[in-house]
Amino acid sequence: MAFTAEDHALMARALALGARGRDTATPNPSVGCVIARNGRVIGEGWHARAGEPHAEAAALAACTASPEGATAYVTLEPCSHHGRTPPCAEALVAARVGRVVAALEDPNPLVKGRGLGLLGAAGIRVETGLLEATARELHRGFLARMARGRPWIRIKAAASLDGGIALANGESRWITGDAARRDVHALRARSCAMLTGIGTVLRDDPELTVRHVPCARQPRRVVIDSRLELPVAARILEGEPPLVLTVSEDRARREALEARGAEVVTVAADEGKTDLAAVARLLAERGFNEVTVETGTKLNGSLLRAGVVDEFVLYCAPLLMGDAARGIFALPEFTNLGQAPRPRVVDVRAVGADLRITARLEG
């Protein structure tokens, strides 16, 4: 379809609006919507939180003139089902808009073309695909959960130039500088959940909360603890209760953690350990769109081998830690370079004195 420069500008505005709900809309997608007539914006909105008006409803409510015959630019196909709010496609039909431009079709089985079909059946001109790549970035966690049945999972690590994340004695605070640590907290703020392993909890006693940047919603903290070794005095048990995933049947340990507020869930086992593919599915079932992993060498490597990792965010410090330092991943020896994973680098930028490298696994 041939879109005009005006179409591009208005969809870009809708995408910017959608980004405002990125940290808070979960488990819903952070949709943005602009309603315009003859290139002039008459209403705009975004989805801020689940249970609150969707972007289209917010934009219609904000209209300063009648939306009849206007064009609605929306970053994702308008929903067609009744949830906590009425269907947006029906609202657009009732408003008698003349055209709807959607960046993407919604892969949610409850929608998946039905919203666009409802609009078309009402005589509204429907077009899709405008700024699709940018919209996929905005909605990547939701799209992953809907299409693949697991969240977008990223591993975050802070490492030295020679790939160390801790000295042999476990010391790791602080590899990176203040600016990088603030950036990490912004990454946490956009995450639906923070995932770690029991080894990291026993070694570092982390909180895994957002503290150094504004935060409207703390991510859910998730601990993989196969043998229920989580100490009842661990800091991760303070505040909002964490989700503890285990294969242990130790009733006494379970009850002790539950008494501290933790939600303990038994998951499938894989050779006596937690089945990480099952963990990814469970996180999707809980409505988590984006999950950030902050953990140690062993679990990082296990997640990578399980095929559930989408992205790496590496904060690289101008520091050398030596060949006895702990590496980022515990992986089996490769006998040729063809066996080695080759993530695609999508972004490199300076964050204070450190570098932030973002790389993704394809497929």
Side-chain angles (χ1 to χ4, degrees):
M1 296 179 184
F3 294 108
T4 66
E6 181 179 283
D7 289 331
H8 279 81
L10 291 167
M11 182 61 81
R13 174 61 181 167
L15 289 162
L17 289 167
R20 295 185 183 183
R22 185 192 63 191
D23 297 354
T24 56
T26 180
N28 294 338
S30 52
V31 177
C33 178
V34 170
I35 299 174
R37 180 185 291 107
N38 299 324
R40 184 175 68 86
V41 175
I42 60 172
E44 60 182 31
W46 68 92
H47 183 49
R49 291 176 180 81
E52 295 184 7
H54 288 189
E56 298 91 329
L60 288 169
C63 279
T64 56
S66 171
E68 184 173 352
T71 297
Y73 298 86
V74 61
T75 62
L76 191 67
E77 175 182 1
C79 63
S80 56
H81 62 291
H82 286 267
R84 283 184 276 186
T85 58
C88 294
E90 290 184 4
L92 292 169
V93 169
R96 302 180 69 179
V97 301
R99 177 181 176 229
V100 173
V101 180
L104 291 171
E105 182 179 289
D106 189 341
N108 185 342
L110 296 174
V111 184
K112 203 173 175 72
R114 293 185 180 90
L116 299 176
L118 191 155
L119 295 168
I124 297 171
R125 181 181 165 194
V126 175
E127 299 173 32
T128 60
L130 177 58
L131 298 184
E132 178 177 351
T134 308
R136 287 193 178 279
E137 279 294 299
L138 175 64
H139 301 308
R140 66 188 180 210
F142 177 79
L143 296 175
R145 183 166 66 88
M146 289 295 115
R148 305 179 315 192
R150 65 175 176 84
W152 181 271
I153 297 180
R154 71 171 63 84
I155 288 177
K156 167 264 162 184
S160 62
L161 285 176
D162 52 349
I165 63 171
L167 297 177
N169 64 9
E171 182 181 347
S172 61
R173 294 182 179 177
W174 296 101
I175 293 173
T176 54
D178 290 343
R181 291 197 293 277
R182 286 194 299 272
D183 199 66
V184 167
H185 281 254
L187 191 64
R188 289 181 182 180
R190 72 168 291 166
S191 304
C192 306
M194 295 296 304
L195 177 67
T196 194
I198 186 59
T200 299
V201 175
L202 293 175
R203 183 178 62 251
D204 299 334
D205 195 20
E207 295 178 64
L208 287 187
T209 55
V210 181
R211 300 184 299 280
H212 301 312
V213 298
C215 178
R217 166 201 54 82
Q218 288 286 343
R220 185 78 186 272
R221 295 166 298 171
V222 183
V223 183
I224 295 178
D225 183 6
S226 296
R227 295 190 292 271
L228 287 182
E229 300 173 284
L230 183 62
V232 293
R235 291 197 298 172
I236 205 165
L237 290 168
E238 299 171 0
E240 291 296 317
L243 175 62
V244 179
L245 306 180
T246 188
V247 298
S248 172
E249 299 297 334
D250 189 325
R251 188 174 185 83
R253 290 294 305 154
R254 176 187 291 263
E255 290 177 350
L257 292 172
E258 289 175 340
R260 289 282 283 117
E263 180 185 2
V264 183
V265 175
T266 301
V267 295
D270 181 11
E271 298 182 355
K273 297 182 179 181
T274 305
D275 184 330
L276 296 176
V279 166
R281 291 192 296 271
L282 182 146
L283 296 176
E285 291 165 2
R286 292 297 183 103
F288 300 141
N289 292 328
E290 294 189 21
V291 174
T292 297
V293 179
E294 290 190 27
T295 191
T297 301
K298 290 183 179 180
L299 183 53
N300 279 342
S302 296
L303 288 164
L304 185 57
R305 293 196 302 275
V308 298
V309 177
D310 297 294
E311 184 175 71
F312 307 100
V313 179
L314 174 64
Y315 294 86
C316 190
L319 173 71
L320 298 174
M321 296 175 67
D323 59 7
R326 300 175 184 175
I328 302 172
F329 299 99
L331 294 172
E333 180 183 1
F334 300 127
T335 56
N336 65 74
L337 288 177
Q339 298 172 327
R342 290 185 181 270
R344 178 174 61 90
V345 174
V346 297
D347 185 71
V348 179
R349 66 184 62 196
V351 182
D354 307 305
L355 283 181
R356 188 186 73 195
I357 301 169
T358 304
R360 293 177 181 172
L361 289 165
E362 307 294 344

